[in-house]
Amino acid sequence: MRRFGVSLVLVLTAVLAWPETSYAQGYGVYEQSACTTGRGGTAAASPCGDGSAIYFNPAGIAGRAFSGSIGGTLIAPSATFVNDNTGLESDFLAKVYPVPNLYISGPIADRYAVGLGVFVPYGLTTEWDKDTFEGRFLGYRSTVRAIYIQPTVAAKFGKVKVGAGLDITSLHLKLQRKADLSQVVVPNPALPPGTTFGALGIPYGTDFADTEISGDAWGVGYNVGIIYEVNEKLTLGARYLSRQKITTDNADATFVQDPTGLVLTGGNPFGLPAGTPIDALVAGQFQPGGLLVDQKASSGLRLPDQLVVGVTVRPVTQLALHFDAQRTWWTVFDQVPIDFAESDALDQALELGAKNVWTWRFGGEYTLSGDSQTVLRGGLIFHKGALPDSSVTPLLPEGNRTDFTVGVGTRIARSFYIDAAYMYVNQADRRGRTVPLTIAETNGLYKDQHAHLFGVTLTYDF
Amino acid sequence: MLRRLRAFALLALPLVSACWDNQELNSPDLSNNNGLFQRYAAIGTSISAGFQSAGINDSTQRRSFAFLVAQQGGAAFGYPSIFGRGCPAPFTNNVTQTRVGGGSASGCDLRSVPVPTTLNNVAVPGMQVVDVFSNTASAVSTYERLQTFFLGGQTPWNALKRTQPTFVSIELGANDVLGALLASGNPGNPDSITPIPVFESVYSEFADSVDGLDAAVVVATIPDVTVIPYASSGTIYWCLKNGVCPGVPANPAFANVTVSNACAPGTAIPGSKGDSILVPWTIGVAGVLASTQPPFTPFALDCANTAQVVTPEEFANMRNTTDALNQFIVSEATTRGWTVVDANAILAQLRATGQVPLFPDVSQVPTGGSVLFGPYFTLDGFHPSNATHAVIADSVIAAVNRDHGTSIPLVGP
């Protein structure tokens, strides 16, 4: 019990100090264990012994000794957008994103086990230069972070193990973008309805406001799994992570005026004196009674469900070959609504039109002879992109991916085991846009999209 | 063991090689210019903007030489398209002053939306050199009104720089001299000409700034506005009145018109300088036409009246200023290795066809038609027509092909 008490403190500390998460396919993050990462993310049939079975297949904690693990993955993504017409390029900001995880599990009777895991199966941060990136009006920084806290129970009945966990989810959303004055409707009843500042000459891409929408919410889901140890050479497994719909009415929307530096000449279509700065024209919108005042907003996100089925084959004792097929129901991620409490004119819905996709994972492990229990790992992953071209934006420049992994695990002391892994993500060049859909479905190419991932997990066997 | 590992590798190989296909950029085909026109920016006056017949709209904007050059090069070319009738709408009849769609001289329809994500044509009708770096330097009302409408409060330099151009066409200076010819109440007014030191100072600063963009540049010289059909010589008026000049019979329309001997050529009346006097059509032709229509107001043209004509001194000032500014422009361009297109060579080419009239064609006016200025000038008498824009575009293209080894096809007639 004392062990669990200490572990609970660790969990709470990790949650409170949780950093932002990473660039990922869709916005799924599968790298929740260095052992699993090293073997291509395969874990449905034979989860690793670091407790990460809590996420990958809850049934996997049954029949294992007490263990606690803490780990993390550093993710260094890169991507470039090239405009079709101008040929100008913009790059992701060069940053490294940490994704920690924490698991503790152990038996409570002959056939039962319990555990607690804290992990982030859905998370995303994309960052571009806020002042120069041409897509900054769709978003220059976006963060999605869904932290799952999952108490888990499992049981072993002969060759069959079953497990289930309750996912208590903390969702954080943050979207930062610039506002383009040329797209804003002029508040002047003398003009035809819908007349924008662009129709009066304001050029496309005129920054006049920096906006941020940020909110947190809680949700609940579940995670269930089953493992069938057919014989010592063959194991089958399956796991289902439920979908969740999480909404918040308490998001904060803030607006800061950006100076445009534009000055009107005489005879301008606004009827204002020569020399009038355009900033004076819109300043009132940032004052009480204006549209762009700090206010509350509501938004939400659907976290898709996942089904993974897997098989492990052990042709010889030292060699294990794994295969997982994962289906993710991204169609639930069809829209991200944003409703402003005081400015209905700003309400919008980010339409995505995602589709359900398959992921194919292949992995292998080879245990070296000796007492160190050293294991060498390798893996290969094929992901299909979930979004149509028109939804590939700076917020989510995802696409088809091929990932390569290598890893190693070894015992470093009587009760300590360490796993390390490296993953190289190679995403195919993907057409997308940095402009509103009213202008074009796509206007360029997201290319050279790669990521380097380095994961480490330290496991303590009680 | 080794056999098992080898078998595993053979099994894995097709999987490793099964990578996803990359999608492609959807870029314009710039092969005929070797990518020179990747980002083409045009800065200039109403000529680059596409002004015709005292107005501008999307139809005329798409006929500007800058648009044609970009089109021949296969380049994307965003321009401040005017939706609807225009800003203002061009003339359909310069006698009745009717305009496209019933528009007015002060009317301005809105910009087309969506606006271009890149604005490549940053030319503004009425732009003078002093306007390049400032939005409040010019007092020309036309420029002021259109500057915000076209560039949205950006200075032309900032708008140009924003495109990060690989190729720039510069057509500046016409309004620095033309203003004198167009000055109502005192055509030829030297106060309407930009002082040469001012022009040179600002132009030089501008040229230095453009140089810093590391783009290929083509520069057009200033056209000699004393040879365009907007104004005819005093001599022509005297000849049309008196019918004593070889090849110029008397014009019956002049029956109710008097033309002073100050308009005569020196060969007819010693001391007269009719060849160095210009009469804007808005004064001379308008007066002649008014004398032929009820209430048949007699028209008196006095070539000594500076309110009616460009005097010989003013004529010389305009010509000399144009020559001096062109020498300066050519010097600045040559020093920087820029391509130069001689606007006056183009004018000479047009005049050599014999289709630039010495006096406007008024034959269609009695039946409700317009005063015409030949096939190369539009209904305002000084803005180039579609045909002229094609000639200008071909001059630019030929110069670029010559200096940059490109193979951009000509527009052709």
Side-chain angles (χ1 to χ4, degrees):
Chain A
M1 182 58 71
R2 183 161 165 266
R3 290 171 182 157
F4 278 113
V6 168
S7 301
L8 194 57
V9 168
L10 285 174
V11 165
L12 291 175
T13 304
V15 168
L16 290 171
W18 209 266
E20 289 164 357
T21 50
S22 61
Y23 157 83
Q25 194 262 356
Y27 58 95
V29 182
Y30 213 70
E31 291 72 39
Q32 306 295 337
S33 148
C35 167
T36 309
T37 299
R39 55 180 185 173
T42 53
S46 301
C48 291
D50 56 5
S52 61
I54 289 172
Y55 168 61
F56 292 105
N57 189 335
I61 65 171
R64 289 191 178 269
F66 276 111
S67 73
S69 70
I70 186 165
T73 304
L74 294 177
I75 305 179
S78 63
T80 299
F81 178 80
V82 185
N83 185 292
D84 280 336
N85 284 335
T86 67
L88 293 173
E89 298 189 354
S90 305
D91 296 325
F92 252 7
L93 294 185
K95 289 196 174 183
V96 178
Y97 301 94
V99 184
N101 49 70
L102 197 93
Y103 306 102
I104 182 167
S105 62
I108 58 171
D110 279 346
R111 66 174 73 218
Y112 298 103
V114 294
L116 181 71
V118 185
F119 46 88
V120 188
Y122 293 108
L124 172 74
T125 297
T126 56
E127 286 192 75
W128 308 82
D129 190 294
K130 64 185 287 187
D131 295 316
T132 62
F133 174 52
E134 63 175 88
R136 60 192 184 276
F137 306 102
L138 297 184
Y140 62 83
R141 190 170 195 270
S142 62
T143 299
V144 172
R145 184 178 68 223
I147 303 173
Y148 283 43
I149 304 169
Q150 183 184 306
T152 303
V153 296
K156 179 176 166 63
F157 303 99
K159 293 186 176 183
V160 176
K161 302 179 185 179
V162 295
L166 178 71
D167 292 311
I168 303 161
T169 305
S170 168
L171 177 68
H172 174 70
L173 287 175
K174 190 176 194 178
L175 173 62
Q176 291 169 281
R177 58 167 60 163
K178 294 292 190 141
D180 179 4
L181 186 59
S182 75
Q183 308 297 306
V184 175
V185 173
V186 183
N188 186 336
L191 294 169
T195 299
T196 60
F197 279 91
L200 299 183
I202 300 301
Y204 177 85
T206 298
D207 302 55
F208 84 107
D210 197 342
T211 73
E212 178 180 310
I213 299 165
S214 176
D216 298 276
W218 290 89
V220 175
Y222 60 89
N223 187 4
V224 295
I226 184 169
I227 293 173
Y228 176 42
E229 296 169 340
V230 178
N231 54 47
E232 61 184 23
K233 290 185 181 293
L234 178 65
T235 307
L236 306 173
R239 175 277 246 156
Y240 177 77
L241 180 70
S242 75
R243 65 180 63 175
Q244 297 184 38
K245 180 181 177 183
I246 307 177
T247 59
T248 174
D249 293 327
N250 201 37
D252 292 311
T254 59
F255 304 89
V256 176
Q257 185 172 9
D258 261 352
T260 65
L262 301 179
V263 175
L264 298 173
T265 59
N268 57 74
F270 304 96
L272 295 171
T276 302
I278 282 178
D279 297 332
L281 199 65
V282 296
Q285 295 302 320
F286 297 88
Q287 304 302 318
L291 278 177
L292 303 177
V293 293
D294 293 354
Q295 58 193 277
K296 289 295 182 185
S298 61
S299 186
L301 199 64
R302 290 177 183 266
L303 307 177
D305 39 343
Q306 303 173 5
L307 174 65
V308 186
V309 293
V311 59
T312 297
V313 176
R314 295 181 181 82
V316 295
T317 306
Q318 292 169 287
L319 179 66
L321 303 174
H322 310 279
F323 169 71
D324 281 3
Q326 175 182 336
R327 182 73 168 167
T328 308
W329 279 268
W330 285 108
T331 48
V332 303
F333 185 50
D334 57 348
Q335 189 187 83
V336 180
I338 305 174
D339 295 321
F340 293 85
E342 297 176 34
S343 307
D344 290 343
L346 301 180
D347 291 350
Q348 58 192 271
L350 307 179
E351 302 286 344
L352 294 156
K355 61 187 180 194
N356 302 329
V357 295
W358 285 100
T359 301
W360 311 98
R361 305 178 189 278
F362 301 85
E365 288 179 293
Y366 184 78
T367 304
L368 297 179
S369 306
D371 294 335
S372 63
Q373 300 172 30
T374 302
V375 180
L376 304 178
R377 302 183 180 103
L380 188 64
I381 310 166
F382 300 100
H383 299 269
K384 193 81 169 65
L387 296 179
D389 288 353
S390 60
S391 294
V392 178
T393 69
L395 305 179
L396 194 55
E398 64 101 69
N400 300 335
R401 281 174 31 181
T402 303
D403 307 335
F404 306 88
T405 73
V406 292
V408 63
T410 192
R411 185 163 293 282
I412 58 173
R414 191 169 68 88
S415 298
F416 286 95
Y417 197 90
I418 190 166
D419 293 293
Y422 167 76
M423 179 182 199
Y424 175 69
V425 174
N426 181 37
Q427 183 165 308
D429 296 345
R430 185 77 197 274
R431 289 199 56 76
R433 61 183 170 91
T434 54
V435 296
L437 262 178
T438 49
I439 293 176
E441 283 204 349
T442 64
N443 70 315
L445 191 70
Y446 288 93
K447 68 168 193 175
D448 297 337
Q449 295 198 83
H450 312 287
H452 300 281
L453 288 76
F454 302 89
V456 171
T457 301
L458 182 66
T459 304
Y460 176 70
D461 300 327
F462 290 93
Chain B
M1 184 60 198
L2 194 59
R3 260 186 305 188
R4 289 194 177 106
L5 285 175
R6 196 180 297 141
F8 177 75
L10 284 173
L11 181 66
L13 197 58
L15 296 174
V16 172
S17 64
C19 292
W20 306 102
D21 290 333
N22 288 322
Q23 291 185 328
E24 302 285 335
L25 268 177
N26 192 17
S27 299
D29 180 5
L30 303 175
S31 55
N32 68 20
N33 57 81
N34 305 321
L36 194 67
F37 285 9
Q38 173 93 75
R39 298 182 293 278
Y40 169 20
I43 185 168
T45 68
S46 52
I47 298 174
S48 296
F51 217 84
Q52 292 193 26
S53 299
I56 186 168
N57 57 22
D58 183 79
S59 177
T60 65
Q61 289 173 295
R62 295 168 66 83
R63 287 164 172 77
S64 79
F65 78 88
F67 185 94
L68 295 175
V69 169
Q71 190 173 56
Q72 293 305 104
F77 195 69
Y79 60 97
S81 167
I82 308 297
F83 181 74
R85 296 165 299 183
C87 185
F91 280 144
T92 54
N93 188 306
N94 59 12
V95 174
T96 59
Q97 300 271 297
T98 54
R99 295 177 182 264
V100 170
S104 68
S106 59
C108 195
D109 284 345
L110 298 175
R111 287 273 304 273
S112 303
V113 289
V115 295
T117 55
T118 300
L119 189 64
N120 298 91
N121 194 341
V122 303
V124 181
M127 189 187 300
Q128 298 181 336
V129 161
V130 293
D131 298 313
V132 166
F133 294 111
S134 168
N135 284 349
T136 53
S138 177
V140 177
S141 61
T142 302
Y143 175 78
E144 278 194 323
R145 185 166 74 126
L146 292 180
Q147 202 280 353
T148 298
F149 208 59
F150 277 47
L151 304 184
Q154 302 176 96
T155 64
W157 163 243
N158 282 340
L160 176 76
K161 188 173 58 170
R162 188 173 175 166
T163 63
Q164 300 184 60
T166 55
F167 178 76
V168 179
S169 67
I170 301 174
E171 175 263 313
L172 287 172
N175 292 317
D176 293 90
V177 180
L178 180 66
L181 186 63
L182 304 181
S184 61
N186 183 7
N189 184 0
D191 293 340
S192 296
I193 296 178
T194 302
I196 293 176
V198 171
F199 183 97
E200 291 183 352
S201 172
V202 180
Y203 195 97
S204 182
E205 181 185 354
F206 173 65
D208 284 342
S209 300
V210 172
D211 224 6
L213 298 175
D214 199 27
V217 180
V218 62
V219 177
T221 59
I222 301 171
D224 179 3
V225 298
T226 66
V227 301
I228 61 177
Y230 178 83
S232 301
S233 68
T235 293
I236 289 296
Y237 279 86
W238 191 86
C239 291
L240 289 170
K241 171 61 183 176
N242 296 289
V244 298
C245 304
V248 185
N251 189 320
F254 280 65
N256 204 14
V257 175
T258 58
V259 179
S260 72
N261 284 337
C263 300
T267 53
I269 298 178
S272 295
K273 297 181 180 179
D275 287 336
S276 301
I277 290 172
L278 293 176
V279 184
W281 78 277
T282 51
I283 295 173
V285 173
V288 170
L289 289 176
S291 73
T292 65
Q293 305 285 328
F296 304 101
T297 305
F299 176 60
L301 177 62
D302 179 4
C303 287
N305 181 0
T306 190
Q308 286 188 314
V309 304
V310 175
T311 66
E313 295 73 26
E314 291 168 341
F315 181 101
N317 185 39
M318 289 169 63
R319 274 239 168 126
N320 293 339
T321 300
T322 301
D323 289 343
L325 295 184
N326 278 338
Q327 284 179 29
F328 180 77
I329 289 171
V330 171
S331 169
E332 290 288 301
T334 305
T335 301
R336 292 172 171 76
W338 294 353
T339 297
V340 177
V341 171
D342 184 353
N344 292 302
I346 296 172
L347 269 178
Q349 178 186 343
L350 299 178
R351 294 172 73 199
T353 66
Q355 295 191 70
V356 178
L358 297 177
F359 188 83
D361 177 2
V362 298
S363 63
Q364 298 189 24
V365 174
T367 53
S370 290
V371 174
L372 302 176
F373 301 91
Y376 297 122
F377 292 89
T378 60
L379 296 182
D380 51 28
F382 60 94
H383 281 111
S385 66
N386 294 347
T388 305
H389 274 289
V391 172
I392 298 172
D394 283 348
S395 297
V396 172
I397 290 170
V400 171
N401 284 343
R402 178 195 69 216
D403 289 354
H404 294 278
T406 52
S407 54
I408 306 164
L410 300 178
V411 176

